[in-house]
């Protein structure tokens, strides 16, 4: 499936007892494409990601996802009784698993914490280990569900840069769920807005990288996305 998209969703509907969360949703992601997904809390972003990751059944619609996809969650989900490199190498069955774990940890600037226990890591370090654990699988599609949400602003900015660099180096397709409009605009080729169960906006970010958040076109795209999300300027300042 070399030129085929890494992800193709047609007519996906997901209902819970309380109502319909995803309504006949369509989405295609091409190889190497970086897509960000925005949406208000409760709009169904995690539900969509869980479905794409195969963690949730598909009862209505058609979902085709590259088998070589991995997920990174908001929290790192490391096993505390396994050393860092072992967490990264988990499930890698080749004899060079340790060497590959070392290489992946090097890419997230954690080569020096190879033998550390997860509980001795900072939040940002633990999240980088989670990224290394995804990278070692050389995924065609990386599903990221608010991977920086619990980090402080400075660490978050560094992590954004790191994800941008890793993407540029390895070129997996990425679907990044985030609440942060600027994060979406700094990193992605396309920004989607999920609202009322549908993709209300699908915006191409036609800006060269690295991006400047003060640049006129960036500011214009930010305003367009705020409107699509129904965020007023007052709410944006409060957030
Ligand atoms: N297993 C479940 N059973 C019942 N309802 C669910 C279940 N999972 C999610 N929902 C409901 O589906 C809706 C969408 O939830 P989801 O977690 O996908 O939102 P989200 O966009 O990821 O929100 P957030 O930005 O807060 O993470 C919510 O109303 C939620 O209560
Ligand atoms: Mg969520």
């Amino acid at each position: 499936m070399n030129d085929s998209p890494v992800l193709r969703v047609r007519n996906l509907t997901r209902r819970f007892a309380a109502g319909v969360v995803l309504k006949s949703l369509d989405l295609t992601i091409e190889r190497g494409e970086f897509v960000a997904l925005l949406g208000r809390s409760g709009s169904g972003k995690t539900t969509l990601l869980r479905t794409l990751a195969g963690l949730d059944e598909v009862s209505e619609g058609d979902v085709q996802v590259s088998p070589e996809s991995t997920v990174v969650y908001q929290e790192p989900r490391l096993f505390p009784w396994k050393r860092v490199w072992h967490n990264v190498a988990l499930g890698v069955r080749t004899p060079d698993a340790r060497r590959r774990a070392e290489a992946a940890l090097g890419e997230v600037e954690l080569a020096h914490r190879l033998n550390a226990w997860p509980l001795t890591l900072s939040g940002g370090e633990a999240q980088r280990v989670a990224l290394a654990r995804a990278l070692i699988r050389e995924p065609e599609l990386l599903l990221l569900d608010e991977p920086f949400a619990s980090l402080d602003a400075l660490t978050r900015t560094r992590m954004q840069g790191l994800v941008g660099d890793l993407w540029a180096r390895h070129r997996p397709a990425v679907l990044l769920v985030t609440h942060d409009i600027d994060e979406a605009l700094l990193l992605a080729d396309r920004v989607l807005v999920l609202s009322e169960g549908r993709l209300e906006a699908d915006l191409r970010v036609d800006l060269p990288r690295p991006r400047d958040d003060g640049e006129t076109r960036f500011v214009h795209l930010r305003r367009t996305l705020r409107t699509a999300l129904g965020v007023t300027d007052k709410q944006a300042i409060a957030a």
Side-chain angles (χ1 to χ4, degrees):
M1 54 182 250
N2 248 354
D3 281 335
S4 55
V6 286
L7 183 154
R8 191 181 280 145
V9 172
R10 291 286 170 266
N11 256 317
L12 174 65
T13 297
R14 182 68 169 101
R15 301 164 204 274
F16 293 114
V20 187
V21 176
L22 304 174
K23 289 180 198 158
S24 304
L25 188 132
D26 290 337
L27 172 63
T28 301
I29 297 182
E30 302 294 340
R31 274 162 200 280
E33 200 177 21
F34 198 132
V35 179
L37 176 65
L38 294 165
R40 291 180 157 246
S41 186
S43 59
K45 303 181 298 297
T46 296
T47 302
L48 176 59
L49 224 78
R50 284 180 54 82
T51 306
L52 301 178
L55 300 170
D56 201 8
E57 77 200 77
V58 177
S59 50
E60 291 180 67
D62 181 40
V63 173
Q64 289 172 39
V65 184
S66 160
E68 288 161 54
S69 38
T70 25
V71 196
V72 177
Y73 301 93
Q74 185 169 337
E75 68 292 347
R77 302 193 181 190
L78 305 177
F79 291 112
W81 58 87
K82 289 185 190 294
R83 292 186 191 272
V84 160
W85 79 264
H86 209 170
N87 265 283
V88 173
L90 217 70
V92 177
R93 309 237 175 270
T94 52
D96 62 346
R98 182 175 169 127
R99 193 195 51 74
R100 287 175 55 195
E102 284 179 28
L105 282 163
E107 292 217 52
V108 298
E109 294 158 30
L110 278 179
H112 59 295
R113 303 307 302 271
L114 208 68
N115 283 312
W117 297 105
L119 289 175
T120 67
L121 302 175
S122 72
E125 287 173 336
Q127 204 54 332
R128 280 188 276 153
V129 174
L131 259 183
R133 186 180 49 192
L135 272 183
I136 198 174
R137 288 168 174 72
E138 296 174 5
E140 288 183 340
L141 174 64
L142 197 51
L143 300 165
L144 306 175
D145 193 359
E146 303 198 52
F148 321 129
S150 60
L151 305 176
D152 65 87
L154 194 63
T155 312
R156 186 186 176 104
T157 305
R158 283 190 59 204
M159 286 288 286
Q160 287 167 356
L162 180 63
V163 166
D165 289 348
L166 291 172
W167 172 76
R169 218 176 298 147
H170 297 276
R171 282 307 186 119
V174 177
L175 181 59
L176 167 72
V177 170
T178 175
H179 275 112
D180 185 333
I181 293 176
D182 278 20
E183 181 172 294
L185 287 173
L186 283 169
L187 291 171
D189 297 310
R190 264 165 81 197
V191 183
L192 315 173
V193 176
L194 183 61
S195 172
E196 310 278 325
R198 295 173 196 280
L199 294 174
E200 287 291 325
D202 186 342
L203 217 71
R204 193 149 288 283
V205 187
D206 44 2
L207 294 170
R209 294 178 169 91
R211 292 174 178 159
D212 172 1
D213 61 4
E215 197 263 330
T216 315
R217 177 85 184 129
F218 194 105
V219 173
H220 173 77
L221 289 169
R222 181 196 287 136
R223 202 173 304 136
T224 306
L225 288 169
R226 273 195 193 164
T227 306
L229 284 160
V231 183
T232 63
D233 280 348
K234 264 189 195 151
Q235 282 172 324
I237 290 163

